[in-house]
Amino acid sequence: MIFTVRLFPEITIKSHPVRKRWTRQLTENLRLLGRRIHEGTKVIQDWDRIEVRVPDDDDAVQAQFIDMLKRTPGISTFSLVSAYPFTTLHDIYEHALPLYGDLIANKTFCVRVKRTGKHDFTSTDAEKYVGGGLNQHTQALGVRLKDPDVTVHIDIKDDYCYLVNGRFAGLGGFPMGTQDPVLSLVSGGFDSTVASYLMMKRGLRTHFCFFNLGGRDHELGVKEIAFYLWNRYSASHRVRFVTVPFEGVVEEILEKIDPANMGVVLKRMMLRAAEKIAARGDIQALVTGEAVAQVSSQTIPNLSAIERVCNTLVLRPLIAMDKPEIIRLSREIGAEEFSANIPEYCGVISVKPSAKVRLDRLEAQEAQFDFSRLENAIEQSRVQPIDAVMEDLRNPQAEVEAVAQLQPGDRIIDIRHPTEIDMRPLALPADTDAALEIPFYSLSTRFAELAREGRYLLYCDKGVMSQLHARHLRDDGATNVAVYRPEKPV
């Protein structure tokens, strides 16, 4: 199968050296991502487009490539095409007839041709010839140049014609790796999740920084969201996940800071810590999910007071967005249910927070703060590669039994994200009940609703997520949980 990839328009207006460099980066990204799906993938770079060639026409492989291309930054549109050599316009028509004849039957249509190379005909000539032939020799209702039922797309490049079987919208943005890295402060909620995604879409290699305020469940949920974002939108580049234990800082705030100022002081402490962590990794910008006036700490006076403690650039991609817009975008990228189910830890929320803090009073209260607790939190921060955040090998005896052969009464729970389930359905033995589909971000609440009888086996592709969540359920008192790891890949 062949896909032709068109660059995001903002790339095409860059200077020649920049466009060439960014196109080469997108080519490398697609080569890496494509070979993870099929090792025989070839990616060919050209000035105005990129070709992705896969030596396999399997429908499942095709669906995986379409999904991958839809979520790779830097792509405007892409097409699934059939390529044929040609000599004359009649050759193009003969290739088009069997492919489009049934598609345009009883419908109006038009032909649109994009042409590159030297030919003795124009794009309009090709449209007229192929369109006329299809109109005469099919059951089409006729040619309609404006708002036709079907548009037949044909690309002509040198002595090959590419007949388009399907056109798809890309993500847009810039190729991952063309911009400098950033450190995103994430909490797992809608705002920081969408802010991180927007950075990835713009081609920024986005590392994650999570401030643990005391909740184990919260940390687990944030790691899952961060992993999902990376794996889906920027997996061509490795990033890091930093966990900062902030319980001591929270305790100090509760003891030393006036309740009206707690939220602002907490944000100031986070920026202080994030700035030092970013400096360690030579990262020159921080990212937050703040939006003007969404909460009391995000008014203009309070944002100004927060940012004063930091010399590093702070990017706020959501600053003028409304909450419904943010939630809608979260839904579009597949993260809405993650954020809606994230366990929150609200240890520093005042009953009457100030929407306009007095900077002099704020600084006077912070003067009483024991900053050694902040330094200790920074020193104790844990840095992990993003693809290892769900692994916990420090306590191997906590491993839950992995089962390859099903026993009578066993029920399988597929805990993968719905998108993954659609892409790679779980194949089960013929005499086995269909798996329950409970995404991992809903498992902790929905598991309690299941019958107590029988054994439940959790399944995910690599066994990491299922092992982690099985242990989590065991910690909560469930004894009828194990992990399903079939002997053959499914």
Side-chain angles (χ1 to χ4, degrees):
M1 73 187 76
I2 302 175
F3 294 93
T4 57
V5 175
R6 298 289 179 180
L7 305 175
F8 183 57
E10 280 191 61
I11 300 174
T12 64
I13 62 174
K14 301 297 181 183
S15 66
H16 186 282
V18 172
R19 175 174 175 174
K20 185 176 181 180
R21 186 171 68 251
W22 287 14
T23 304
R24 183 168 60 247
Q25 180 68 68
L26 179 56
T27 301
E28 291 300 319
N29 294 350
L30 292 176
R31 185 174 291 121
L32 175 65
L33 295 171
R35 287 177 179 172
R36 290 177 183 170
I37 301 174
H38 194 294
E39 61 183 10
T41 300
K42 293 184 178 180
V43 183
I44 303 168
Q45 177 184 341
D46 205 343
W47 176 247
D48 62 337
R49 68 179 183 178
I50 297 171
E51 281 189 17
V52 180
R53 293 177 173 261
V54 187
D56 193 332
D57 289 325
D58 181 74
D59 289 344
V61 174
Q62 182 184 110
Q64 290 182 56
F65 269 90
I66 290 173
D67 178 64
M68 180 270 288
L69 292 168
K70 282 183 177 180
R71 53 185 170 80
T72 300
I75 296 175
S76 173
T77 61
F78 64 95
S79 302
L80 175 64
V81 303
S82 300
Y84 303 97
F86 78 94
T87 302
T88 67
L89 286 176
H90 191 73
D91 294 335
I92 300 176
Y93 158 71
E94 289 190 328
H95 291 308
L97 180 60
L99 185 62
Y100 299 118
D102 291 340
L103 184 65
I104 63 177
N106 301 312
K107 297 176 183 178
T108 60
F109 76 99
C110 73
V111 177
R112 297 300 182 197
V113 172
K114 289 185 178 180
R115 184 182 59 85
T116 56
K118 294 183 178 180
H119 305 94
D120 58 1
F121 58 85
T122 66
S123 297
T124 302
D125 293 336
E127 291 172 351
K128 289 179 178 179
Y129 191 95
V130 175
L134 293 176
N135 192 38
Q136 292 179 43
H137 299 96
T138 68
Q139 300 299 313
L141 295 180
V143 174
R144 180 188 294 169
L145 299 181
K146 185 177 181 180
D147 297 326
D149 296 323
V150 178
T151 299
V152 173
H153 293 279
I154 300 176
D155 291 345
I156 298 174
K157 182 175 175 57
D158 299 326
D159 55 355
Y160 269 81
C161 63
Y162 297 83
L163 307 186
V164 178
N165 301 316
R167 289 171 65 89
F168 308 89
L171 191 64
F174 295 153
M176 185 60 58
T178 58
Q179 310 303 311
D180 292 313
V182 296
L183 182 67
S184 183
L185 281 60
V186 291
S187 68
F190 295 107
D191 302 338
S192 61
T193 298
V194 172
S196 299
Y197 159 75
L198 290 174
M199 293 295 100
M200 296 174 187
K201 179 181 176 182
R202 199 63 177 172
L204 289 92
R205 190 173 179 177
T206 303
H207 302 274
F208 302 94
C209 183
F210 168 64
F211 293 93
N212 193 332
L213 307 183
R216 175 181 176 276
D217 291 349
H218 191 185
E219 179 179 355
L220 174 63
V222 174
K223 284 182 174 180
E224 290 171 338
I225 292 176
F227 180 84
Y228 170 81
L229 285 178
W230 167 78
N231 188 50
R232 190 144 185 84
Y233 299 106
S234 66
S236 58
H237 288 70
R238 299 298 186 198
V239 300
R240 298 183 293 276
F241 187 98
V242 184
T243 303
V244 187
F246 238 46
E247 298 95 327
V249 175
V250 169
E251 183 180 350
E252 190 73 7
I253 290 174
L254 293 172
E255 291 178 356
K256 304 287 180 63
I257 305 300
D258 185 85
N261 297 332
M262 284 182 177
V264 172
V265 171
L266 178 63
K267 294 289 185 67
R268 282 162 64 95
M269 296 299 171
M270 288 179 174
L271 278 192
R272 287 182 172 110
E275 183 173 43
K276 293 187 177 182
I277 291 169
R280 292 176 180 175
D282 195 27
I283 297 172
Q284 300 180 38
L286 307 176
V287 178
T288 75
E290 293 161 319
V292 168
Q294 190 174 117
V295 295
S296 61
S297 65
Q298 295 175 20
T299 61
I300 293 297
N302 287 357
L303 287 173
S304 177
I306 292 169
E307 195 164 332
R308 286 174 181 267
V309 303
C310 180
N311 292 319
T312 302
L313 174 65
V314 179
L315 302 174
R316 296 182 172 94
L318 311 185
I319 196 65
M321 291 182 67
D322 299 326
K323 194 69 173 184
E325 290 181 85
I326 297 170
I327 294 175
R328 175 187 55 77
L329 189 50
S330 175
R331 183 181 308 120
E332 290 177 2
I333 64 175
E336 181 184 22
E337 290 192 69
F338 283 75
S339 297
N341 287 277
I342 191 77
E344 293 284 359
Y345 179 82
C346 303
V348 186
I349 293 183
S350 172
V351 177
K352 294 183 178 180
S354 174
K356 189 175 183 178
V357 298
R358 286 274 303 272
L359 189 60
D360 55 344
R361 292 181 181 177
L362 193 68
E363 292 174 341
Q365 290 176 23
E366 282 189 351
Q368 308 301 315
F369 195 92
D370 182 0
F371 278 89
S372 67
R373 306 197 76 167
L374 179 64
E375 294 299 327
N376 287 338
I378 298 171
E379 290 301 319
Q380 294 171 16
S381 60
R382 183 185 182 197
V383 182
Q384 298 172 279
I386 188 62
D387 52 347
V389 294
M390 304 314 299
E391 299 182 31
D392 189 353
L393 305 178
R394 291 172 296 171
N395 184 12
Q397 295 184 359
E399 291 288 312
V400 175
E401 177 189 7
V403 175
Q405 298 294 330
L406 300 177
Q407 301 296 325
D410 285 346
R411 290 301 308 272
I412 295 173
I413 302 178
D414 193 333
I415 68 168
R416 295 175 296 168
H417 190 277
T419 301
E420 295 180 75
I421 294 176
D422 290 341
M423 295 294 300
R424 294 181 297 278
L426 174 59
L428 294 172
D431 57 348
T432 304
D433 291 338
L436 301 173
E437 296 179 3
I438 305 178
F440 58 84
Y441 47 76
S442 301
L443 186 62
S444 60
T445 55
R446 291 179 58 185
F447 187 81
E449 303 170 0
L450 300 179
R452 299 295 181 183
E453 297 77 20
R455 182 173 62 167
Y456 293 96
L457 307 178
L458 309 189
Y459 173 79
C460 69
D461 285 331
K462 296 182 179 180
V464 176
M465 297 282 283
S466 53
Q467 181 65 229
L468 187 66
H469 281 277
R471 277 182 275 169
H472 186 50
L473 291 173
R474 285 284 184 92
D475 291 343
D476 288 344
T479 58
N480 58 337
V481 179
V483 170
Y484 180 52
R485 295 299 295 157
E487 293 177 348
K488 295 182 179 180
V490 294

